[in-house]
Amino acid sequence: APGWLLAAFPGHEWQTLCSCCLKVKPEGGAGLDLEASELGYMVDDIEQDAGQATCLQRGSMLVAIQGVPLIGLDEDALSAAFGENFRDGAQVLVLDSEELQGASKSRGSSGCLAHISLGGPCSADVKDVVVRDLTTFAARGGVVAELCGTDGTATPVVVLAGSRDKVSAARPELGALLAYHGLGCSAGTASAAPESESTDGRSDGPVVEVAGTVMRSLPARNRRKRQAPVEDEEETEAAKQPKTDANTEKEPAEGGKDEAAESSAPQGEELHQYEYMDHTADVILHSWGTSLNQAIAQVCVCFFSYMTELSKLEINTSVEVEASGHDMLDMLYHLLDEFLFTFGTTFVMCRRVEILSFDQDNLKIRARGWGEKFDLQKHPQGTEIKAITMHQMKVLTPETLTTEAGVTPRTSDTKEGGSVKEGIPYECYVLVDI
């Protein structure tokens, strides 16, 4: 059985699974009467002279064709996937409908299947790299991720299978991974606003006109979903108490200044311990510091610096964010993602960032940024950062290197992060989508 089928129905041992090749005649077709369902195409009837393999019978369920799964698709997507791959000699995966329906009822939420269409073919070189990255991504996320339908005759898809919560949590990161490789992906269709179309027929997203200025949104990007942590009773009670500052913006007092923000801002030298590193179509934010707290704070400052000139920002307001993760990289991802979300909702650009608390054992962090609301008439417009990614993310300490592959001893090899710099042994590397 293919990996995606085992992951979608964990623990089930298939008794009727078989595969065969369709026989499609130029005039009479395959001679099959098929009924669409969420589990694939069920064979209602077969013409006597169809000449199909014996494993295709009334009540059989076609669950894949040419390696492309048909389970979990709506009727239109099912018809499209089957139609693109339907031809004489096409290999189909077959199950008895009663066994499949029974397995579907018993699995509950322990397994599910998601399809992500790549929108177009991918070259052999890209395919090899994508398959390699999908293997790493799947191992880290505890899911199965397979690239299917790459024979060039149909639209390739990535199939994501596993427990429902893990699949849900992994989909946004998968989207970012595919976007990094230049593969347009789609998991369905939705419409939230009128869209314009460019001269090449490409949809350019919703268009809004304000005071004579036309603004066109970029394609929507999914924010990475986080699994809710298990909280004890004391934490739950504390969460019920009203919060006045976390994840909220401090509103400036009359006259545009927030005296509390100014007085609480970090004192001393303003650090700029970061740089921008070139990357194909994106940019890597690289920061360093004398402590891990300082390196993390500086990569947050670097994030805002890429979008505007920090020297033009005054300190008259502040924002506070919190983040956590299942490992160091996941926590850093969510910290920057919280700052990105806060900027998108409050338009506050932060000139200085300080780590207020950092629980390294439980990977929880709280930070505050000081600055002011972005104003096009006052602040230079740099390059917009659209999304944070975990691809090629690294965190270095004097002893360790943390990457997507795990934690390893730090070496002098430049590929592993380079030699320890004198006085600044802590570093962060974050690839962002621009």
Side-chain angles (χ1 to χ4, degrees):
W4 58 263
L5 185 62
L6 297 175
F9 298 87
H12 186 84
E13 296 184 2
W14 299 103
Q15 304 298 319
T16 61
L17 183 66
C18 63
S19 64
C20 63
C21 293
L22 287 178
K23 188 170 184 179
V24 180
K25 300 176 182 178
E27 297 180 357
L32 300 174
D33 183 10
L34 303 176
E35 179 182 349
S37 76
E38 62 178 9
L39 297 175
Y41 271 123
M42 187 170 73
V43 179
D44 275 350
D45 199 5
I46 304 178
E47 294 180 4
Q48 292 183 354
D49 60 347
Q52 301 296 345
T54 55
C55 69
L56 277 178
Q57 307 173 16
R58 290 182 182 179
S60 295
M61 190 75 76
L62 307 183
V63 297
I65 181 170
Q66 289 295 102
V68 178
L70 303 176
I71 298 176
L73 297 174
D74 60 37
E75 189 169 349
D76 291 339
L78 176 63
S79 176
F82 188 81
E84 284 186 337
N85 293 281
F86 179 74
R87 59 182 178 273
D88 186 46
Q91 189 175 45
V92 292
L93 196 64
V94 183
L95 279 167
D96 178 75
S97 59
E98 290 186 0
E99 182 185 12
L100 181 57
Q101 289 166 358
S104 179
K105 291 178 181 178
S106 62
R107 71 174 173 172
S109 61
S110 61
C112 74
L113 196 67
H115 302 248
I116 298 89
S117 173
L118 301 190
C122 58
S123 65
D125 291 342
V126 172
K127 173 189 172 183
D128 292 340
V129 176
V130 171
V131 169
R132 182 197 65 200
D133 285 357
L134 284 176
T135 301
T136 302
F137 159 80
R140 187 178 64 248
V143 295
V144 170
E146 296 183 0
L147 182 61
C148 305
T150 57
D151 58 1
T153 61
T155 303
V157 297
V158 172
V159 179
L160 195 59
S163 66
R164 195 172 301 277
D165 56 346
K166 288 184 178 181
V167 168
S168 178
R171 286 185 67 167
E173 185 180 342
L174 175 59
L177 186 153
L178 295 176
Y180 169 76
H181 288 292
L183 300 174
C185 54
S186 173
T189 57
S191 178
E195 295 192 351
S196 68
E197 190 166 286
S198 61
T199 56
D200 60 2
R202 173 178 52 84
S203 176
D204 283 326
V207 174
V208 178
E209 184 173 349
V210 179
T213 300
V214 175
M215 295 178 288
R216 176 175 289 110
S217 297
L218 292 168
R221 297 176 181 271
N222 292 325
R223 287 173 55 79
R224 183 176 179 179
K225 293 181 174 60
R226 299 163 61 187
Q227 298 180 35
V230 178
E231 300 177 340
D232 57 30
E233 294 182 359
E234 292 182 2
E235 290 177 332
T236 303
E237 288 299 321
K240 294 179 181 178
Q241 301 300 319
K243 298 178 73 173
T244 59
D245 56 355
N247 297 307
T248 60
E249 176 195 353
K250 299 281 190 180
E251 288 293 336
E254 186 175 352
K257 298 283 185 178
D258 183 346
E259 296 180 359
E262 288 183 315
S263 63
S264 64
Q267 303 300 313
E269 181 184 1
E270 191 169 336
L271 301 177
H272 297 286
Q273 296 174 175
Y274 55 80
E275 65 179 348
Y276 317 119
M277 299 172 61
D278 290 335
H279 188 276
T280 307
D282 293 313
V283 67
I284 295 176
L285 310 180
H286 174 213
S287 70
W288 53 87
T290 56
S291 66
L292 186 54
N293 283 25
Q294 190 179 84
I296 292 175
Q298 284 297 295
V299 81
C300 295
V301 174
C302 184
F303 163 79
F304 288 105
S305 177
Y306 198 73
M307 295 192 287
T308 192
E309 290 183 20
L310 297 186
S311 60
K312 303 294 184 180
L313 294 174
E314 297 182 27
I315 294 179
N316 57 32
T317 189
S318 67
V319 292
E320 184 174 318
V321 298
E322 296 179 4
S324 61
H326 59 77
D327 59 24
M328 183 66 71
L329 301 188
D330 192 51
M331 183 205 69
L332 180 57
Y333 170 93
H334 284 120
L335 177 65
L336 286 165
D337 200 40
E338 289 298 327
F339 271 120
L340 177 61
F341 176 75
T342 301
F343 169 67
T345 54
T346 67
F347 305 107
V348 172
M349 285 278 193
C350 297
R351 176 171 176 165
R352 305 191 70 164
V353 174
E354 182 179 33
I355 305 302
L356 302 180
S357 64
F358 183 13
D359 183 349
Q360 294 193 41
D361 292 331
N362 297 306
L363 296 171
K364 294 181 179 180
I365 194 167
R366 186 165 59 93
R368 181 174 289 279
W370 287 265
E372 67 175 329
K373 283 191 174 182
F374 183 75
D375 183 349
L376 270 175
Q377 296 185 356
K378 177 181 179 181
H379 305 124
Q381 185 175 11
T383 303
E384 178 191 7
I385 293 177
K386 305 187 193 77
I388 314 299
T389 79
M390 293 190 69
H391 186 68
Q392 297 185 353
M393 184 182 288
K394 295 189 291 187
V395 174
L396 294 92
T397 71
E399 297 82 21
T400 63
L401 163 70
T402 303
T403 66
E404 294 175 283
V407 181
T408 58
R410 182 169 180 171
T411 70
S412 60
D413 184 350
T414 55
K415 188 176 181 181
E416 298 298 321
S419 302
V420 176
K421 299 181 181 180
E422 185 177 356
I424 46 174
Y426 297 87
E427 300 177 65
C428 297
Y429 293 80
V430 180
L431 177 69
V432 294
D433 190 2
I434 58 175

